[in-house]
Coordinates of all heavy atoms in Angstrom, one line a residue:
L1 N 32.6 -41.7 19.7 CA 32.6 -43.0 20.4 C 34.0 -43.7 20.3 O 34.5 -44.2 21.2 CB 31.5 -43.9 19.9 CG 31.3 -45.2 20.5 CD1 30.9 -45.1 22.0 CD2 30.3 -46.1 19.7
Y2 N 34.5 -43.6 19.1 CA 35.8 -44.2 18.8 C 36.9 -43.5 19.7 O 37.7 -44.2 20.4 CB 36.2 -44.0 17.4 CG 37.7 -44.4 17.1 CD1 38.1 -45.7 16.9 CD2 38.6 -43.4 16.9 CE1 39.4 -46.0 16.7 CE2 39.9 -43.7 16.7 CZ 40.3 -45.0 16.6 OH 41.7 -45.3 16.4
F3 N 36.9 -42.2 19.8 CA 37.9 -41.5 20.6 C 37.7 -41.9 22.1 O 38.7 -42.1 22.8 CB 37.8 -40.0 20.4 CG 38.1 -39.6 19.0 CD1 37.3 -38.6 18.4 CD2 39.2 -40.1 18.3 CE1 37.6 -38.2 17.1 CE2 39.5 -39.7 17.0 CZ 38.7 -38.7 16.4
L4 N 36.5 -41.9 22.5 CA 36.2 -42.2 24.0 C 36.6 -43.6 24.4 O 36.9 -43.8 25.5 CB 34.7 -41.9 24.3 CG 34.2 -40.5 24.2 CD1 32.7 -40.4 24.5 CD2 35.0 -39.7 25.3
T5 N 36.6 -44.5 23.4 CA 36.9 -45.9 23.7 C 38.4 -46.2 23.6 O 38.8 -47.4 23.8 CB 36.1 -46.9 22.9 OG1 36.3 -46.6 21.5 CG2 34.6 -46.8 23.2
R6 N 39.2 -45.2 23.4 CA 40.7 -45.5 23.4 C 41.1 -45.7 24.8 O 42.2 -46.4 25.0 CB 41.4 -44.3 22.7 CG 41.1 -44.0 21.3 CD 41.2 -45.3 20.4 NE 39.9 -45.9 20.3 CZ 39.7 -47.1 19.7 NH1 40.7 -47.8 19.3 NH2 38.4 -47.6 19.7
N7 N 40.4 -45.2 25.8 CA 40.8 -45.3 27.2 C 39.6 -44.9 28.0 O 38.5 -44.6 27.5 CB 42.0 -44.5 27.6 CG 41.9 -43.0 27.2 OD1 41.0 -42.4 27.7 ND2 42.8 -42.5 26.4
R8 N 39.7 -44.8 29.3 CA 38.6 -44.5 30.2 C 38.6 -43.1 30.7 O 37.9 -42.8 31.7 CB 38.6 -45.5 31.4 CG 38.3 -47.0 30.9 CD 38.1 -47.9 32.1 NE 38.0 -49.3 31.6 CZ 36.9 -49.8 31.2 NH1 35.8 -49.1 31.1 NH2 36.8 -51.1 30.7
S9 N 39.4 -42.2 30.1 CA 39.5 -40.9 30.7 C 39.4 -39.8 29.6 O 39.3 -38.6 30.0 CB 40.7 -40.7 31.5 OG 41.9 -41.0 30.8
A10 N 39.5 -40.1 28.3 CA 39.5 -39.0 27.3 C 38.3 -38.2 27.3 O 37.2 -38.7 27.7 CB 39.7 -39.7 25.9
H11 N 38.4 -36.9 26.9 CA 37.2 -36.1 26.7 C 37.1 -35.6 25.3 O 38.2 -35.3 24.7 CB 37.3 -34.9 27.7 CG 36.0 -34.1 27.8 ND1 35.1 -34.4 28.8 CD2 35.5 -33.1 27.0 CE1 34.0 -33.6 28.6 NE2 34.2 -32.8 27.5
V12 N 35.9 -35.5 24.7 CA 35.7 -35.2 23.3 C 34.7 -34.0 23.3 O 33.7 -34.0 23.9 CB 35.2 -36.3 22.5 CG1 35.1 -35.9 21.0 CG2 36.1 -37.5 22.6
Y13 N 35.1 -33.0 22.4 CA 34.2 -31.9 22.2 C 33.6 -32.1 20.8 O 34.3 -32.2 19.8 CB 35.1 -30.6 22.2 CG 35.6 -30.3 23.6 CD1 36.8 -30.8 24.0 CD2 34.9 -29.4 24.4 CE1 37.3 -30.6 25.2 CE2 35.4 -29.2 25.7 CZ 36.6 -29.7 26.1 OH 37.2 -29.5 27.4
C14 N 32.3 -32.2 20.8 CA 31.5 -32.5 19.5 C 30.9 -31.3 19.0 O 30.3 -30.5 19.7 CB 30.4 -33.5 19.8 SG 30.8 -35.0 20.8
V15 N 31.1 -31.1 17.7 CA 30.5 -29.9 17.0 C 29.6 -30.4 15.9 O 30.1 -31.1 14.9 CB 31.6 -29.0 16.4 CG1 31.0 -27.8 15.7 CG2 32.7 -28.6 17.4
E16 N 28.3 -30.2 16.0 CA 27.3 -30.8 15.1 C 26.1 -29.8 15.0 O 25.5 -29.5 16.0 CB 26.9 -32.1 15.5 CG 25.8 -32.8 14.7 CD 26.1 -32.9 13.2 OE1 27.2 -33.3 12.9 OE2 25.2 -32.5 12.4
P17 N 25.8 -29.4 13.8 CA 24.7 -28.4 13.6 C 23.3 -29.0 13.4 O 22.3 -28.3 13.6 CB 25.1 -27.6 12.4 CG 25.8 -28.6 11.6 CD 26.6 -29.5 12.5
D18 N 23.2 -30.2 12.9 CA 21.9 -30.8 12.5 C 21.2 -31.3 13.8 O 21.6 -32.2 14.5 CB 22.1 -32.0 11.6 CG 20.9 -32.6 11.0 OD1 19.8 -32.4 11.6 OD2 20.9 -33.3 10.0
P19 N 20.0 -30.7 14.1 CA 19.4 -31.1 15.4 C 19.0 -32.6 15.4 O 19.0 -33.2 16.5 CB 18.1 -30.2 15.3 CG 18.4 -29.1 14.4 CD 19.4 -29.6 13.4
K20 N 18.7 -33.2 14.3 CA 18.4 -34.6 14.3 C 19.6 -35.4 14.7 O 19.5 -36.4 15.5 CB 17.9 -35.1 12.9 CG 16.5 -34.6 12.6 CD 16.1 -35.0 11.1 CE 16.2 -36.5 10.9 NZ 15.8 -36.8 9.5
N21 N 20.7 -35.1 14.3 CA 22.0 -35.8 14.7 C 22.3 -35.5 16.1 O 22.7 -36.4 16.9 CB 23.1 -35.4 13.8 CG 23.0 -36.0 12.4 OD1 22.3 -37.0 12.2 ND2 23.7 -35.4 11.4
V22 N 22.2 -34.2 16.5 CA 22.5 -33.8 17.9 C 21.6 -34.6 18.9 O 22.1 -35.1 19.9 CB 22.3 -32.3 18.1 CG1 22.4 -32.0 19.6 CG2 23.3 -31.5 17.3
A23 N 20.4 -34.9 18.5 CA 19.5 -35.6 19.4 C 19.9 -37.1 19.6 O 19.6 -37.7 20.6 CB 18.1 -35.6 18.9
R24 N 20.7 -37.6 18.6 CA 21.1 -39.0 18.7 C 22.5 -39.2 19.4 O 22.8 -40.3 19.8 CB 21.2 -39.6 17.3 CG 19.8 -39.7 16.6 CD 19.9 -40.1 15.1 NE 20.6 -41.4 15.0 CZ 21.0 -41.9 13.8 NH1 20.8 -41.1 12.7 NH2 21.5 -43.0 13.7
I25 N 23.2 -38.1 19.5 CA 24.6 -38.2 20.1 C 24.5 -38.8 21.5 O 25.2 -39.7 21.9 CB 25.3 -36.9 20.1 CG1 25.7 -36.5 18.6 CG2 26.6 -36.9 20.9 CD1 26.3 -35.1 18.5
P26 N 23.6 -38.3 22.4 CA 23.6 -38.8 23.8 C 23.3 -40.3 23.8 O 23.7 -41.0 24.7 CB 22.5 -38.0 24.5 CG 22.5 -36.7 23.8 CD 22.7 -37.1 22.3
R27 N 22.5 -40.8 22.9 CA 22.2 -42.2 22.8 C 23.4 -43.0 22.4 O 23.7 -44.0 23.0 CB 21.0 -42.5 21.8 CG 20.5 -43.9 21.8 CD 19.5 -44.1 20.6 NE 20.2 -44.0 19.3 CZ 19.5 -44.0 18.2 NH1 18.2 -44.0 18.2 NH2 20.2 -43.9 17.0
T28 N 24.1 -42.5 21.4 CA 25.4 -43.2 21.0 C 26.4 -43.2 22.1 O 27.1 -44.2 22.3 CB 26.0 -42.5 19.8 OG1 25.0 -42.4 18.7 CG2 27.2 -43.2 19.3
L29 N 26.4 -42.2 22.9 CA 27.4 -42.0 24.0 C 26.9 -42.3 25.4 O 27.4 -41.8 26.4 CB 28.1 -40.6 23.9 CG 28.6 -40.2 22.5 CD1 29.1 -38.8 22.6 CD2 29.6 -41.2 22.0

């Protein structure tokens, strides 16, 4: 979220193994 809010065009590749965390990423973003 921090990286994406530096501007309106950046793209971020997220690497996360915990399914509980992965399920929350789309909500955060």
Side-chain angles (χ1 to χ4, degrees):
L1 181 66
Y2 169 79
F3 297 137
L4 291 174
T5 56
R6 298 310 91 190
N7 55 57
R8 298 187 182 277
S9 60
H11 192 94
V12 182
Y13 295 85
C14 310
V15 182
E16 173 57 44
D18 187 338
K20 288 175 58 178
N21 287 340
V22 170
R24 294 171 63 190
I25 291 175
R27 186 187 70 190
T28 301
L29 308 179

